[in-house]
Amino acid sequence: MLYSTEAIRTIALLGHTACGKTSLAEALLHHAGMIAGPGSVERGTTVCDYDPLERKYQHSLYSAVVNLSYANTRIHLIDTPGFPDFMGQAIGALPAVDTAAIVINAQTGIEMITSRMMNLTQQRKLCRLIIVNKIDEDSVDLPGLVTRIQGAFGRECLPINLPAAGGTKVVDCFFNPAGESDFSSVAAAHAALVDQVVEVDPELTALYLEQGEIAPEQLHAPFEQALREGHLVPICFLSARNGAGVAELLDIFVKLLPNPTEGNPPLFYREEPGDGDARTRQTEIQARADPSQHVLAHVFKIAVDPYVGKLAVFRIHQGTVARNSQLYIGDGKKPFKVAHLFILQGKEQLEVEQGVPGDICAVSKVDDITFDAVLHDAAEDQHIHLKPLPFPLPIYGLAIEPKRRGDEQRLSEVLQKITAEDPCLKVEHLAGTNETVMFGLGELHLRCAIERMMEVNKLDINTRPPKIAYRETVAGRADGHNRHKKQSGGAGQFGEVFLRIEPLPRGAGFEFVDAVKGGAIPGQFIPAVEKGIQQVLEGGPLAGFPMQDVRVTVYDGKSHPVDSKEIAFSSAGRKAFIDAVLKARPVLLEPVVNIEVVTPEENMGDITGDLSSRRGQVTGMQVAPGATVVIAGQVPLSELNGYQSRLHSTTGGRGSYSLEFSHYDPVPPAVQQRMAGQHKEAAEE
């Protein structure tokens, strides 16, 4: 069945692990008649958690796309992981939807991922909806939870329905505000909603003050505007387990949430040649949800199956993608043919003739497509990109190698497939230790990646203890110089480089400045100088770790009309850079993480004392439901090796924690001296 853009809704289910997102997706699919009965996460029978590892661990590890038809509307749902280690999958789904539905567990309340997703979706200007799940559980304080939600996220968070009959049903507070609820007044909730909505329209406000009531039909446009502007965040109550509120939530999806023409447009920009010294400049592009325009689509998910091949999942923001049409990938010059076009139902691929703005579709077996690519059908749109997503930095690493000699090439191929699927998995080759290290967001993240490589890709590998993603930088300014001269009969090699280095603010990366005057270094050799510097950036001279936050200015040099070659200037640039770094007070940086520990109240002192003893700093404590305390702090990642087992031992298995990268800080001088000495010994050997 074909749907118009106005009859499409796109929604991401976001929230902390165990809040019930996957079970909610099952309940919605069942109520819409898409499946015979809701599946079970525990039994591994859900549509969304279809991967063998998801069934093994009994929670989502990857984002999953499903669709349902309800009231002549197609609803694309993305079920996302809630475990902190798999946040990359959830963040990657944000550009694909118009509405973010933040699911909260009524028993545990506001958790770390809840807050993070509320902030991220607000920054991306998505319309937001809060869904309070598990309202039928014992010992839930729903009035208190609403108060905490409003305290954390603002008074614009207002109930659009309320639980009734002990959490076995809900009563509407918007369309038909009649009946009794388990707490609060339905009439008062309705009045608060209307007051909030009419505030965005001065004429409607005047009419409301004059009449004292506004029909729901008159409120549709201002309701959409309030959602777009973040002036209203509706709160819905339901129980995915007993079905209370599921039908009402579907009605809200259809009647009140924005279609692709009503939501805030995606944040596209065009990269163009800059003026003067600027290499490029960015111009914002307004994608229009118009089927007749040029195609603009964004790839937000890549899945690589060893038997099926690569599957690229994308959201169409503009234009119509039809079967047998041709699309370009980003800056690519050669289009590919859309031989088969799919919409997804978990692992099932359902072939369709076309997709319009708002549709989430997929193509398979197109090897050149990558995560975050923009697909288009006009050659002039090749430099259009989407505003970068704020992915957490992978900082927890494992050194990996194949068990069998000769499998090195296969390991490289499998690593490429694994990292193509997950934007928060990175692979680095550490020159200082000659190791291949895979970095992820946490222990479970890497464990699942390793299991996938071994079980799905049938590759046996060895791993070694975690590697910390240390970095190097400089604390001062210094000049460096090197003359590379080699003469061994025939044509020789000659290149001389003078450069200056200085520190940049933390997190600024690397900046290369060509300040050579008068052709002292011919222009064709400047890229070779930068290449030599880049070689040092991959493994710094202090301890062999990548360098960052450095500006290098090449300001002078010499060349020879016959002997100057790229290899000479590459070598001179590399050695001049090392010379400058060793003069500029090199510094070893370590990652510092935000840690959030949930612990029973009686163990609070033990946990805070342990964090302090590990160079950590406690930044806050908050009482949580169930006689527990949430302790927030910052601690160097290197101090958390084996923390899971220590925490379990201290709390009797009742504690849990999550990490998020915060920033890089210099290591203590004794640690830097020790690691620099180890690197020097390894280099001499």
Side-chain angles (χ1 to χ4, degrees), residues 144-481:
L145 178 57
V146 171
T147 301
R148 291 194 296 275
I149 289 171
Q150 292 177 336
F153 308 124
R155 304 298 298 180
E156 63 268 23
C157 301
L158 294 172
I160 198 167
N161 58 36
L162 288 167
T168 59
K169 67 176 186 176
V170 300
V171 291
D172 177 36
C173 300
F174 187 74
F175 296 106
N176 185 28
E180 298 295 325
S181 72
D182 289 343
F183 72 92
S184 186
S185 158
V186 175
H190 174 75
L193 271 174
V194 175
D195 288 347
Q196 191 76 5
V197 170
V198 298
E199 282 182 1
V200 302
D201 187 335
E203 293 182 6
L204 198 61
T205 301
L207 185 64
Y208 178 51
L209 292 173
E210 181 183 326
Q211 296 181 179
E213 186 56 63
I214 297 287
E217 297 75 29
Q218 294 176 275
L219 292 173
H220 180 82
F223 192 98
E224 303 282 358
Q225 183 181 345
L227 288 178
R228 284 196 304 273
E229 296 176 358
H231 192 67
L232 173 65
V233 181
I235 302 174
C236 308
F237 293 89
L238 59 77
S239 168
R241 183 178 65 175
N242 70 17
V246 173
E248 289 80 359
L249 181 63
L250 282 170
D251 285 335
I252 290 169
F253 284 176
V254 171
K255 296 177 181 178
L256 294 176
L257 295 190
N259 65 50
T261 68
E262 296 168 324
N264 287 321
L267 307 172
F268 284 108
Y269 66 91
R270 187 190 303 276
E271 206 166 68
E272 299 172 323
D275 301 323
D277 294 334
R279 294 186 180 182
T280 59
R281 59 188 175 90
Q282 296 177 356
T283 305
E284 287 190 7
I285 296 293
Q286 186 83 26
R288 291 193 291 165
D290 183 344
S292 65
Q293 296 291 314
H294 288 179
V295 170
L296 278 181
H298 175 256
V299 178
F300 69 92
K301 177 180 171 65
I302 294 287
V304 182
D305 188 284
Y307 306 107
V308 179
K310 180 183 282 189
L311 185 75
V313 189
F314 56 90
R315 155 75 187 263
I316 302 171
H317 292 284
Q318 178 178 292
T320 299
V321 177
R323 195 153 59 94
N324 295 322
S325 61
Q326 293 196 332
L327 295 177
Y328 295 90
I329 305 168
D331 296 340
K333 301 287 193 290
K334 184 179 178 182
F336 71 93
K337 182 180 178 182
V338 182
H340 300 281
L341 185 68
F342 306 104
I343 60 171
L344 301 179
Q345 195 71 307
K347 68 177 179 181
E348 302 295 328
Q349 301 164 20
L350 312 173
E351 191 157 2
V352 293
E353 289 295 317
Q354 67 174 40
V356 297
D359 272 327
I360 293 175
C361 298
V363 292
S364 62
K365 300 178 181 178
V366 183
D367 292 335
D368 294 336
I369 295 186
T370 58
F371 173 82
D372 205 31
V374 172
L375 307 180
H376 55 94
D377 62 355
E380 62 266 28
D381 290 339
Q382 63 180 332
H383 298 303
I384 292 179
H385 306 276
L386 193 74
K387 181 182 177 182
L389 290 159
F391 288 110
L393 188 69
I395 50 174
Y396 191 97
L398 279 177
I400 57 177
E401 62 183 12
K403 279 188 178 180
R404 291 187 298 270
R405 294 188 64 180
D407 274 354
E408 288 79 9
Q409 180 61 34
R410 184 145 182 269
L411 173 63
S412 176
E413 292 170 358
V414 171
L415 284 173
Q416 285 181 357
K417 293 177 181 178
I418 291 287
T419 53
E421 292 182 300
D422 192 332
C424 292
L425 277 178
K426 302 294 181 188
V427 175
E428 291 182 5
H429 182 77
L430 300 185
T433 56
N434 194 28
E435 290 178 321
T436 297
V437 181
M438 181 163 62
F439 289 99
L441 300 183
E443 184 180 354
L444 180 61
H445 191 199
L446 289 182
R447 190 195 317 155
C448 289
I450 297 296
E451 284 190 44
R452 190 169 184 82
M453 293 169 69
M454 297 177 71
E455 295 178 12
V456 178
N457 295 280
K458 308 301 180 185
L459 176 66
D460 291 330
I461 56 177
N462 291 322
T463 63
R464 286 196 295 279
K467 298 287 181 181
I468 304 299
Y470 291 100
R471 294 292 183 262
E472 297 182 24
T473 190
V474 293
R477 293 165 55 110
D479 283 37
H481 162 250

Side-chain angles (χ1 to χ4, degrees), residues 471-481 499-503 510 532-553 572-588 672 679:
R471 294 292 183 262
E472 297 182 24
T473 190
V474 293
R477 293 165 55 110
D479 283 37
H481 162 250
L499 55 78
R500 179 177 301 110
I501 66 171
E502 56 190 312
F510 167 68
I533 293 168
Q534 290 282 1
Q535 291 172 352
V536 183
L537 291 174
E538 294 173 3
L542 179 63
F545 294 100
M547 294 196 68
Q548 64 179 37
D549 308 335
V550 178
R551 176 186 290 124
V552 180
T553 303
R574 178 171 58 83
K575 293 175 182 177
F577 184 47
I578 292 174
D579 177 44
V581 169
L582 295 177
K583 296 175 184 174
R585 304 199 308 276
V587 175
L588 186 63
Q672 175 167 317
H679 175 66

Side-chain angles (χ1 to χ4, degrees), residues 64-96:
V65 181
V66 295
N67 71 91
L68 55 94
S69 298
Y70 184 80
N72 297 316
T73 303
R74 171 181 282 166
I75 301 170
H76 292 284
L77 272 182
I78 306 180
D79 177 31
T80 67
F83 203 89
D85 282 24
F86 303 96
M87 287 311 299
Q89 294 282 325
I91 294 172
L94 298 185

